[in-house]
Amino acid sequence: MPQAANIPGLSRQTATRYYRLVDASGSPHPVLDDLYESLDAAWAEALLWWQQEFGLQKGCIDIGVEVSTASGSWRTLRHPGGSPAG
C-alpha cells in the first residue's frame, strides 16, 4: 500500500482524506486493500466482508480503519478488535 503522500492527487495542500482498512496487526488488510472516501464507506465494506466470512457473530472484528494525513502518513481511527457497531 502506498504512503498517503504517494496517492495521486493527494498533497499537503489538499483537504482530501482517504481511509483504508487494516488487519489485526495494523498492516493494510490483505483482502480489503483499497482506499475509501469516507470512514462510513470503509467500515461498511469491512462489516459486509466480515459477515460474509464469519457470519453474524457477536464479538470483536479484527479490522481497523486508518485515515490519510496531510503529512503523508496514516493515523488510526478505529483499532482492530472493536465491536461491530464501532
Side-chain angles (χ1 to χ4, degrees):
M1 185 61 130
Q3 289 286 325
N6 297 331
I7 298 170
L10 183 65
S11 70
R12 292 175 191 235
Q13 288 76 32
T14 65
T16 303
R17 297 285 186 234
Y18 293 98
Y19 300 82
R20 69 178 182 183
L21 299 169
V22 296
D23 62 17
S25 67
S27 298
H29 195 278
V31 176
L32 303 171
D33 188 13
D34 202 356
L35 298 177
Y36 300 88
E37 293 187 10
S38 71
L39 174 60
D40 289 339
W43 194 241
E45 183 80 7
L47 288 177
L48 178 63
W49 180 83
W50 189 267
Q51 289 172 356
Q52 289 173 343
E53 291 294 309
F54 303 105
L56 298 174
Q57 303 176 31
K58 296 193 187 270
C60 296
I61 294 181
D62 286 332
I63 299 175
V65 183
E66 294 181 331
V67 63
S68 61
T69 68
S71 66
S73 60
W74 294 94
R75 181 172 59 97
T76 302
L77 294 178
R78 183 172 284 159
H79 292 277
S83 68

